[in-house]
Amino acid sequence: MRAKYYAEDDLLVLTLSEKPYEHAEKVGPFIIHYTGEGEPVMVEILQGAQFLKETTEALPYPTVAKILRK
């Protein structure tokens, strides 16, 4: 899994697989991309800074630092 934060769009993207996606579905602050077989391959988290703020305490510091530096 790869994670990348795009500050200019305040978007946190979690790439779960390199498989191509065929469709996406918005669920609350998340956009989940799926293969044709329904396997999730990417999750976009809208308002990523707020999400990170709210979850920082639950994540170990090295994980947060790794996400923010990429």
Side-chain angles (χ1 to χ4, degrees), residues 9-44:
D9 298 318
D10 192 17
L11 182 67
L12 179 61
V13 178
L14 306 175
T15 303
L16 309 172
S17 169
E18 295 300 323
K19 295 178 182 177
Y21 58 86
E22 289 192 17
H23 67 282
E25 179 179 323
K26 186 173 186 302
V27 181
F30 307 101
I31 299 174
I32 306 168
H33 299 261
Y34 298 95
T35 64
E37 292 77 37
E39 179 185 344
V41 293
M42 183 169 54
V43 178
E44 295 180 63

Side-chain angles (χ1 to χ4, degrees), residues 2 7 18 32 44 50 53 56-57 59 64 66 69:
R2 288 190 334 243
E18 295 300 323
I32 306 168
E44 295 180 63
Q50 182 67 28
K53 241 184 228 183
T56 296
E57 292 179 8
L59 294 172
V64 173
K66 185 176 179 181
R69 108 179 116 209

